[in-house]
Every structure is written in C-alpha cells, then in structure tokens.
Amino acid sequence: MKFVDEFRDAELGQVLAGEILATVEPGRHYKIMEVCGGHTHSIYKYGIDDLLPANVELVHGPGCPVCVIPMGRVDDGIALAREPDVILTCFGDMMRIPGSDGSFLDAKAEGADIRMVYSPLDALRIARENPDRQVVFYAIGFETTAPSTALTLKRAKAEGIKNFSCMCSHVTIVPPLRALLDSPDLRLDGFIGPGHVSTVVGARPFEFISESYGKPVVVSGFEPLDVLQSIHMILSQLTEDRCTVENQYGRVVPYDGNLRALEVLSEVFELRPHFEWRGLGFISQSALRLSDAYADFDAEQRFTVPGVRVADPKACQCGEVLKGVIKPWECKVFGTACTPERPIGTCMVSPEGACAAYYNYGRFAREREVV
Amino acid sequence: MIESHSRAEDSVPECLPDVGCITCSDEGVEMRALEVDAASGLAVCLDPEGSRSEVDLGIVTGVAPGDVVLVHAGVALTRLESEEAA
C-alpha cells in the first residue's frame, strides 16, 4: 500500500538498526520518551525495541488521551447518559474506561443509550435523525482530534441544530510535557515527538524542550522505519552534542502546523484554567472547553453534571507509568488484577495505552537488561 | 450535498489490539477522495480496507477526487501526494 509499504521494509530496518548501534556510545545509557500512544503501539507491534541496543531505553509517555481521562470525567459522562432522552455518543475507545461505578459499557448494558461513533460528524447525523432526543458528543483527544469536534460544532451552529451538544475533554500536548520535564523523578535524554498532533500544531511548539530543557526532539511518523529513523536522529544529536527540534515526518507535518486548523480551534475552544490528568494531577491550561461563542453547545452548561473528583484506585500505578518512572510490568497489579479484559487503570484499557500494548504483545514477562 | 456513506454507529467495532485506537488518539488513515462537494466541504473517501466514509475537508484546501488525504476522526488533516503526482 502506498505511503505504508515503503516504511515497513525489513532490510532497511536492519540497516537503520545497524546505524543506531554504530551511533551509541558504549557505557552510556540513553532514555528516550515516545510521547504519543500511537508510537507506543508501533514499537510493540513491530518489535522495534528488539532492534535497539540494550543501553537505549524507550519510555512511554502520556500521549494516549483515553489513558489520561480521570475517573470523575467518566462518571460525568455516565450521568449525562442517564439523563432522560439523552443519547451519549463517543469513540469506541472510551467504552471500557472504568469510572468509580462502572464504565460506559456497563451503563449501556443497564439501559443508557450510549453509541459509538467514528467521528463527531456521525454524532451530528444522529442528532439530525433524532430531533426529539438530546445528543451529546463526549469529546476526547489531543489537538489531532479537536479540529474534528470544532468543525462539527461549526456545522451544528450553521445548521441551527438545537439538540446537539458536546462534553469537552480535549487536552493539549505541551502543558503535560512541561509538567513531566519539571518532575524531579524523571530523567530523560530526548523525545520522539507526536506525529499527528504536530500535523495540527506543527513542530515549533516543542522548541521549548530543546531550548529550555536541553533535550532533543524528533517529530516522528508511525511506521517502523519512521520510528527507527527518529531514534537514530535523537541519538545522533546526543552523540554530536546537538540539541534541536527535527522533523522526521516531513511528508505529513508542516513545521508551523495547519494554520486553518489552529484558527478553527481558537474560534470554537478556549483553554480551561486547570484540568485533571489521570496520574499527573491538575495541570494549568492543559485542556479545552467551548468558547463563549459556542456556549449553547456546551453539555456541561446544558445539563447538570456531578463534576466530582474521584481519586485513582490505590493499587493503580498508571501515573508512574505515564511519567515513565516505572515500566508497565513493574506495576503491582499488571497482568494479574489488571488486564485488558478487567482493567483497573486506563493504561490497560486503550490499545494505545502502554500497559495494554505490553500485555497484548506478550512483553509482560520480559525484563529488559539495562546497562 | 454528498449522500452520506458513513458507517452506521451500531456497526462500529470495539478497538482491537492489532489495529490500535480506531478513532481517537493519534491515528491517521490514508484515504483516497472519490467525490468532493466543495459547497458542503465534505468528501466521500475510500480507506485501505475498501470502506467509504464521509470526510470533512474544513482544514485542508484544494482536495480533488483521486487525491490521498490523511484522515483522523472524520477530518482530513492534510493532503498527501496524489497518485498522479507521485
């Protein structure tokens, strides 16, 4: 398939692995965070970490938007779904995320009308087809996904659709990265930057990482050769004592992002003063809510939602996994009490979550020898 | 207005480990535009598995039938090279 096959060539992968081996300095340990859950998934799916020298360690970052949704927001969604005449729509990834009293899937089994959609456009179509019902789109995702919600809200407003609203839990990528970099228990050498988020925001917003924190960043594509090349680019910067933002995914990512998308986002959304991230706590200006111009479509204003903060389960160490402090298999409940079938923490729910990726690709028994 | 080819919501499968997050997070799917309606800003696009989807072109300009676009959650994020140009 075009745009895919050429980035999965096994021989080229071996060549890149050899170049990586030739680049690293023996005796030096390299710790690289892949910010995006999509990269985590690619790394496990294609066994990329098996191609790396033992002294190159990959750390899984907070880039799965499902994994960072706190339990209280799940409870809020369920409360909305239980309102009379409400149809709650959401991406499939949200269905099994545990709240304090069950998941969306549990609420659906108990009679709540919760429907999975591929895009908010589908949610808007459901609203058109059900004029006597209130249709709420439960919006999650980083800046990659936020434009789809924004464009759909613009359509709803232009068409005068009154029975459509949005519960917005969109998050932004830079504030949690800054919080991670400020974390005293975190030691990283470089970052594999998020590919499709950068399609919208560009690579430029990550310059603070190299300029203020002295860490290289390489915005990367998702195919195995993309990821290998990005790791090589980061290691080359470290070896050559350089530190900058590079764009490996230039075939898709413009350095300054998609200006039209950024305009649409700023029209429809505004930053929340604070937002709670699962495992990371409250982070200032790290999430979006609807702007005043779209307040009529804000489900949190149209309905009464509990808005109660719920602490993470004590046994769950998703926060430490998200910060890269521990590996998934080092969590006390990994693979025993917490599995993809019966998840305790969100990192085990989404396929892009670090724990689920580890579990599904059989890495849970493996202990990597680190130099 | 292009006739909607969106998949019915009741046919949406659960996310599977071998395909990753279908809709959210950071996934992009290369799709070929089959029909483009400039007035509505919508296109009918074909994904690699042969399914047709309605795609919003609101943040990408100049998409023509035959072009390949990177689609995330029903929105074209960017236009990739068309087969003719590649």
PDB file of all heavy atoms in Angstrom, chain A residues 297-323:
ATOM      1  N   PHE A 297     -23.674  25.094  22.976  1.00  0.00           N
ATOM      2  CA  PHE A 297     -23.446  23.683  22.634  1.00  0.00           C
ATOM      3  C   PHE A 297     -22.654  22.955  23.720  1.00  0.00           C
ATOM      4  O   PHE A 297     -22.217  21.827  23.520  1.00  0.00           O
ATOM      5  CB  PHE A 297     -22.688  23.587  21.294  1.00  0.00           C
ATOM      6  CG  PHE A 297     -23.497  24.073  20.133  1.00  0.00           C
ATOM      7  CD1 PHE A 297     -23.427  25.401  19.724  1.00  0.00           C
ATOM      8  CD2 PHE A 297     -24.345  23.211  19.450  1.00  0.00           C
ATOM      9  CE1 PHE A 297     -24.177  25.855  18.651  1.00  0.00           C
ATOM     10  CE2 PHE A 297     -25.106  23.656  18.381  1.00  0.00           C
ATOM     11  CZ  PHE A 297     -25.015  24.990  17.980  1.00  0.00           C
ATOM     12  N   ASP A 298     -22.465  23.607  24.856  1.00  0.00           N
ATOM     13  CA  ASP A 298     -21.666  23.016  25.922  1.00  0.00           C
ATOM     14  C   ASP A 298     -22.566  22.161  26.815  1.00  0.00           C
ATOM     15  O   ASP A 298     -23.433  22.674  27.522  1.00  0.00           O
ATOM     16  CB  ASP A 298     -21.015  24.136  26.757  1.00  0.00           C
ATOM     17  CG  ASP A 298     -19.995  23.590  27.751  1.00  0.00           C
ATOM     18  OD1 ASP A 298     -20.014  22.367  28.022  1.00  0.00           O
ATOM     19  OD2 ASP A 298     -19.179  24.385  28.242  1.00  0.00           O
ATOM     20  N   ALA A 299     -22.364  20.843  26.755  1.00  0.00           N
ATOM     21  CA  ALA A 299     -23.215  19.931  27.532  1.00  0.00           C
ATOM     22  C   ALA A 299     -23.091  20.187  29.025  1.00  0.00           C
ATOM     23  O   ALA A 299     -24.035  19.944  29.787  1.00  0.00           O
ATOM     24  CB  ALA A 299     -22.844  18.480  27.217  1.00  0.00           C
ATOM     25  N   GLU A 300     -21.940  20.680  29.465  1.00  0.00           N
ATOM     26  CA  GLU A 300     -21.766  20.929  30.897  1.00  0.00           C
ATOM     27  C   GLU A 300     -22.567  22.137  31.357  1.00  0.00           C
ATOM     28  O   GLU A 300     -22.759  22.327  32.553  1.00  0.00           O
ATOM     29  CB  GLU A 300     -20.278  21.102  31.221  1.00  0.00           C
ATOM     30  CG  GLU A 300     -19.506  19.805  31.043  1.00  0.00           C
ATOM     31  CD  GLU A 300     -18.022  19.951  31.330  1.00  0.00           C
ATOM     32  OE1 GLU A 300     -17.655  20.003  32.504  1.00  0.00           O
ATOM     33  OE2 GLU A 300     -17.236  20.002  30.362  1.00  0.00           O
ATOM     34  N   GLN A 301     -22.997  22.972  30.410  1.00  0.00           N
ATOM     35  CA  GLN A 301     -23.886  24.085  30.751  1.00  0.00           C
ATOM     36  C   GLN A 301     -25.354  23.716  30.501  1.00  0.00           C
ATOM     37  O   GLN A 301     -26.250  24.199  31.184  1.00  0.00           O
ATOM     38  CB  GLN A 301     -23.514  25.324  29.937  1.00  0.00           C
ATOM     39  CG  GLN A 301     -22.125  25.851  30.264  1.00  0.00           C
ATOM     40  CD  GLN A 301     -21.876  27.242  29.706  1.00  0.00           C
ATOM     41  OE1 GLN A 301     -22.773  28.059  29.617  1.00  0.00           O
ATOM     42  NE2 GLN A 301     -20.621  27.505  29.333  1.00  0.00           N
ATOM     43  N   ARG A 302     -25.568  22.860  29.502  1.00  0.00           N
ATOM     44  CA  ARG A 302     -26.944  22.484  29.162  1.00  0.00           C
ATOM     45  C   ARG A 302     -27.527  21.534  30.207  1.00  0.00           C
ATOM     46  O   ARG A 302     -28.722  21.555  30.486  1.00  0.00           O
ATOM     47  CB  ARG A 302     -26.964  21.837  27.776  1.00  0.00           C
ATOM     48  CG  ARG A 302     -28.358  21.573  27.251  1.00  0.00           C
ATOM     49  CD  ARG A 302     -28.346  21.040  25.831  1.00  0.00           C
ATOM     50  NE  ARG A 302     -27.807  21.993  24.859  1.00  0.00           N
ATOM     51  CZ  ARG A 302     -27.851  21.835  23.536  1.00  0.00           C
ATOM     52  NH1 ARG A 302     -28.445  20.749  23.039  1.00  0.00           N
ATOM     53  NH2 ARG A 302     -27.318  22.716  22.720  1.00  0.00           N
ATOM     54  N   PHE A 303     -26.675  20.662  30.749  1.00  0.00           N
ATOM     55  CA  PHE A 303     -27.126  19.674  31.732  1.00  0.00           C
ATOM     56  C   PHE A 303     -26.384  19.891  33.055  1.00  0.00           C
ATOM     57  O   PHE A 303     -25.377  20.591  33.107  1.00  0.00           O
ATOM     58  CB  PHE A 303     -26.835  18.241  31.234  1.00  0.00           C
ATOM     59  CG  PHE A 303     -27.436  17.937  29.904  1.00  0.00           C
ATOM     60  CD1 PHE A 303     -26.699  18.094  28.738  1.00  0.00           C
ATOM     61  CD2 PHE A 303     -28.748  17.482  29.810  1.00  0.00           C
ATOM     62  CE1 PHE A 303     -27.252  17.808  27.503  1.00  0.00           C
ATOM     63  CE2 PHE A 303     -29.306  17.195  28.575  1.00  0.00           C
ATOM     64  CZ  PHE A 303     -28.555  17.367  27.412  1.00  0.00           C
ATOM     65  N   THR A 304     -26.891  19.242  34.081  1.00  0.00           N
ATOM     66  CA  THR A 304     -26.191  19.250  35.365  1.00  0.00           C
ATOM     67  C   THR A 304     -25.317  18.008  35.432  1.00  0.00           C
ATOM     68  O   THR A 304     -25.815  16.887  35.349  1.00  0.00           O
ATOM     69  CB  THR A 304     -27.196  19.239  36.536  1.00  0.00           C
ATOM     70  OG1 THR A 304     -28.052  20.378  36.406  1.00  0.00           O
ATOM     71  CG2 THR A 304     -26.470  19.277  37.862  1.00  0.00           C
ATOM     72  N   VAL A 305     -24.007  18.209  35.560  1.00  0.00           N
ATOM     73  CA  VAL A 305     -23.102  17.058  35.687  1.00  0.00           C
ATOM     74  C   VAL A 305     -22.502  17.088  37.099  1.00  0.00           C
ATOM     75  O   VAL A 305     -22.295  18.163  37.667  1.00  0.00           O
ATOM     76  CB  VAL A 305     -21.977  17.082  34.626  1.00  0.00           C
ATOM     77  CG1 VAL A 305     -22.541  16.889  33.243  1.00  0.00           C
ATOM     78  CG2 VAL A 305     -21.185  18.378  34.701  1.00  0.00           C
ATOM     79  N   PRO A 306     -22.243  15.919  37.667  1.00  0.00           N
ATOM     80  CA  PRO A 306     -21.770  15.885  39.062  1.00  0.00           C
ATOM     81  C   PRO A 306     -20.476  16.668  39.257  1.00  0.00           C
ATOM     82  O   PRO A 306     -20.323  17.403  40.239  1.00  0.00           O
ATOM     83  CB  PRO A 306     -21.563  14.392  39.323  1.00  0.00           C
ATOM     84  CG  PRO A 306     -22.399  13.695  38.305  1.00  0.00           C
ATOM     85  CD  PRO A 306     -22.439  14.577  37.109  1.00  0.00           C
ATOM     86  N   GLY A 307     -19.517  16.483  38.365  1.00  0.00           N
ATOM     87  CA  GLY A 307     -18.251  17.199  38.495  1.00  0.00           C
ATOM     88  C   GLY A 307     -17.483  16.855  39.758  1.00  0.00           C
ATOM     89  O   GLY A 307     -16.772  17.691  40.315  1.00  0.00           O
ATOM     90  N   VAL A 308     -17.649  15.620  40.215  1.00  0.00           N
ATOM     91  CA  VAL A 308     -16.995  15.209  41.458  1.00  0.00           C
ATOM     92  C   VAL A 308     -15.641  14.575  41.137  1.00  0.00           C
ATOM     93  O   VAL A 308     -15.539  13.700  40.275  1.00  0.00           O
ATOM     94  CB  VAL A 308     -17.873  14.193  42.227  1.00  0.00           C
ATOM     95  CG1 VAL A 308     -17.148  13.690  43.474  1.00  0.00           C
ATOM     96  CG2 VAL A 308     -19.196  14.831  42.592  1.00  0.00           C
ATOM     97  N   ARG A 309     -14.616  15.011  41.853  1.00  0.00           N
ATOM     98  CA  ARG A 309     -13.300  14.424  41.641  1.00  0.00           C
ATOM     99  C   ARG A 309     -13.246  13.070  42.339  1.00  0.00           C
ATOM    100  O   ARG A 309     -13.680  12.924  43.481  1.00  0.00           O
ATOM    101  CB  ARG A 309     -12.207  15.343  42.196  1.00  0.00           C
ATOM    102  CG  ARG A 309     -10.832  14.789  41.960  1.00  0.00           C
ATOM    103  CD  ARG A 309      -9.739  15.773  42.347  1.00  0.00           C
ATOM    104  NE  ARG A 309      -8.454  15.204  41.977  1.00  0.00           N
ATOM    105  CZ  ARG A 309      -7.720  14.443  42.780  1.00  0.00           C
ATOM    106  NH1 ARG A 309      -8.154  14.177  43.988  1.00  0.00           N
ATOM    107  NH2 ARG A 309      -6.572  13.944  42.362  1.00  0.00           N
ATOM    108  N   VAL A 310     -12.722  12.083  41.624  1.00  0.00           N
ATOM    109  CA  VAL A 310     -12.602  10.730  42.172  1.00  0.00           C
ATOM    110  C   VAL A 310     -11.130  10.343  42.155  1.00  0.00           C
ATOM    111  O   VAL A 310     -10.469  10.430  41.110  1.00  0.00           O
ATOM    112  CB  VAL A 310     -13.419   9.718  41.332  1.00  0.00           C
ATOM    113  CG1 VAL A 310     -13.267   8.315  41.907  1.00  0.00           C
ATOM    114  CG2 VAL A 310     -14.877  10.127  41.271  1.00  0.00           C
ATOM    115  N   ALA A 311     -10.627   9.921  43.289  1.00  0.00           N
ATOM    116  CA  ALA A 311      -9.219   9.528  43.360  1.00  0.00           C
ATOM    117  C   ALA A 311      -8.996   8.233  42.585  1.00  0.00           C
ATOM    118  O   ALA A 311      -9.883   7.376  42.507  1.00  0.00           O
ATOM    119  CB  ALA A 311      -8.810   9.343  44.818  1.00  0.00           C
ATOM    120  N   ASP A 312      -7.814   8.095  41.997  1.00  0.00           N
ATOM    121  CA  ASP A 312      -7.471   6.859  41.299  1.00  0.00           C
ATOM    122  C   ASP A 312      -7.411   5.705  42.303  1.00  0.00           C
ATOM    123  O   ASP A 312      -7.102   5.910  43.481  1.00  0.00           O
ATOM    124  CB  ASP A 312      -6.097   6.997  40.626  1.00  0.00           C
ATOM    125  CG  ASP A 312      -6.124   8.009  39.488  1.00  0.00           C
ATOM    126  OD1 ASP A 312      -7.215   8.255  38.942  1.00  0.00           O
ATOM    127  OD2 ASP A 312      -5.047   8.545  39.154  1.00  0.00           O
ATOM    128  N   PRO A 313      -7.702   4.472  41.848  1.00  0.00           N
ATOM    129  CA  PRO A 313      -7.569   3.319  42.748  1.00  0.00           C
ATOM    130  C   PRO A 313      -6.148   3.240  43.314  1.00  0.00           C
ATOM    131  O   PRO A 313      -5.178   3.489  42.605  1.00  0.00           O
ATOM    132  CB  PRO A 313      -7.864   2.124  41.835  1.00  0.00           C
ATOM    133  CG  PRO A 313      -8.627   2.690  40.687  1.00  0.00           C
ATOM    134  CD  PRO A 313      -8.142   4.091  40.506  1.00  0.00           C
ATOM    135  N   LYS A 314      -6.043   2.882  44.594  1.00  0.00           N
ATOM    136  CA  LYS A 314      -4.730   2.886  45.234  1.00  0.00           C
ATOM    137  C   LYS A 314      -3.751   1.923  44.575  1.00  0.00           C
ATOM    138  O   LYS A 314      -2.549   2.181  44.513  1.00  0.00           O
ATOM    139  CB  LYS A 314      -4.892   2.539  46.721  1.00  0.00           C
ATOM    140  CG  LYS A 314      -5.413   3.708  47.546  1.00  0.00           C
ATOM    141  CD  LYS A 314      -5.460   3.372  49.022  1.00  0.00           C
ATOM    142  CE  LYS A 314      -5.968   4.581  49.815  1.00  0.00           C
ATOM    143  NZ  LYS A 314      -6.161   4.280  51.222  1.00  0.00           N
ATOM    144  N   ALA A 315      -4.285   0.792  44.108  1.00  0.00           N
ATOM    145  CA  ALA A 315      -3.387  -0.212  43.525  1.00  0.00           C
ATOM    146  C   ALA A 315      -2.851   0.222  42.162  1.00  0.00           C
ATOM    147  O   ALA A 315      -1.867  -0.318  41.672  1.00  0.00           O
ATOM    148  CB  ALA A 315      -4.126  -1.539  43.383  1.00  0.00           C
ATOM    149  N   CYS A 316      -3.499   1.211  41.563  1.00  0.00           N
ATOM    150  CA  CYS A 316      -3.153   1.595  40.198  1.00  0.00           C
ATOM    151  C   CYS A 316      -1.917   2.499  40.182  1.00  0.00           C
ATOM    152  O   CYS A 316      -1.826   3.459  40.930  1.00  0.00           O
ATOM    153  CB  CYS A 316      -4.344   2.329  39.580  1.00  0.00           C
ATOM    154  SG  CYS A 316      -4.024   2.965  37.946  1.00  0.00           S
ATOM    155  N   GLN A 317      -0.980   2.171  39.308  1.00  0.00           N
ATOM    156  CA  GLN A 317       0.233   2.988  39.180  1.00  0.00           C
ATOM    157  C   GLN A 317       0.324   3.621  37.788  1.00  0.00           C
ATOM    158  O   GLN A 317       1.416   3.840  37.268  1.00  0.00           O
ATOM    159  CB  GLN A 317       1.463   2.130  39.466  1.00  0.00           C
ATOM    160  CG  GLN A 317       1.556   1.671  40.921  1.00  0.00           C
ATOM    161  CD  GLN A 317       2.817   0.873  41.182  1.00  0.00           C
ATOM    162  OE1 GLN A 317       2.865  -0.317  40.921  1.00  0.00           O
ATOM    163  NE2 GLN A 317       3.836   1.540  41.687  1.00  0.00           N
ATOM    164  N   CYS A 318      -0.861   3.894  37.205  1.00  0.00           N
ATOM    165  CA  CYS A 318      -0.874   4.495  35.874  1.00  0.00           C
ATOM    166  C   CYS A 318      -0.061   5.793  35.834  1.00  0.00           C
ATOM    167  O   CYS A 318       0.596   6.103  34.847  1.00  0.00           O
ATOM    168  CB  CYS A 318      -2.309   4.792  35.420  1.00  0.00           C
ATOM    169  SG  CYS A 318      -3.172   3.368  34.741  1.00  0.00           S
ATOM    170  N   GLY A 319      -0.129   6.549  36.919  1.00  0.00           N
ATOM    171  CA  GLY A 319       0.588   7.825  36.943  1.00  0.00           C
ATOM    172  C   GLY A 319       2.078   7.636  36.770  1.00  0.00           C
ATOM    173  O   GLY A 319       2.727   8.358  36.000  1.00  0.00           O
ATOM    174  N   GLU A 320       2.632   6.646  37.472  1.00  0.00           N
ATOM    175  CA  GLU A 320       4.068   6.415  37.350  1.00  0.00           C
ATOM    176  C   GLU A 320       4.424   5.858  35.969  1.00  0.00           C
ATOM    177  O   GLU A 320       5.491   6.136  35.438  1.00  0.00           O
ATOM    178  CB  GLU A 320       4.525   5.469  38.463  1.00  0.00           C
ATOM    179  CG  GLU A 320       4.580   6.162  39.817  1.00  0.00           C
ATOM    180  CD  GLU A 320       4.255   5.227  40.958  1.00  0.00           C
ATOM    181  OE1 GLU A 320       3.072   4.891  41.103  1.00  0.00           O
ATOM    182  OE2 GLU A 320       5.183   4.842  41.670  1.00  0.00           O
ATOM    183  N   VAL A 321       3.497   5.058  35.410  1.00  0.00           N
ATOM    184  CA  VAL A 321       3.725   4.553  34.050  1.00  0.00           C
ATOM    185  C   VAL A 321       3.705   5.715  33.066  1.00  0.00           C
ATOM    186  O   VAL A 321       4.559   5.830  32.180  1.00  0.00           O
ATOM    187  CB  VAL A 321       2.672   3.490  33.668  1.00  0.00           C
ATOM    188  CG1 VAL A 321       2.794   3.107  32.200  1.00  0.00           C
ATOM    189  CG2 VAL A 321       2.823   2.250  34.545  1.00  0.00           C
ATOM    190  N   LEU A 322       2.713   6.612  33.229  1.00  0.00           N
ATOM    191  CA  LEU A 322       2.584   7.744  32.311  1.00  0.00           C
ATOM    192  C   LEU A 322       3.792   8.667  32.382  1.00  0.00           C
ATOM    193  O   LEU A 322       4.176   9.287  31.402  1.00  0.00           O
ATOM    194  CB  LEU A 322       1.314   8.540  32.629  1.00  0.00           C
ATOM    195  CG  LEU A 322      -0.006   7.886  32.238  1.00  0.00           C
ATOM    196  CD1 LEU A 322      -1.176   8.675  32.799  1.00  0.00           C
ATOM    197  CD2 LEU A 322      -0.124   7.792  30.727  1.00  0.00           C
ATOM    198  N   LYS A 323       4.380   8.753  33.564  1.00  0.00           N
ATOM    199  CA  LYS A 323       5.562   9.606  33.713  1.00  0.00           C
ATOM    200  C   LYS A 323       6.843   8.881  33.319  1.00  0.00           C
ATOM    201  O   LYS A 323       7.916   9.488  33.298  1.00  0.00           O
ATOM    202  CB  LYS A 323       5.664  10.098  35.169  1.00  0.00           C
ATOM    203  CG  LYS A 323       4.664  11.205  35.497  1.00  0.00           C
ATOM    204  CD  LYS A 323       4.947  11.866  36.828  1.00  0.00           C
ATOM    205  CE  LYS A 323       4.482  11.025  37.980  1.00  0.00           C
ATOM    206  NZ  LYS A 323       4.524  11.747  39.269  1.00  0.00           N
TER     207      LYS A 323
END
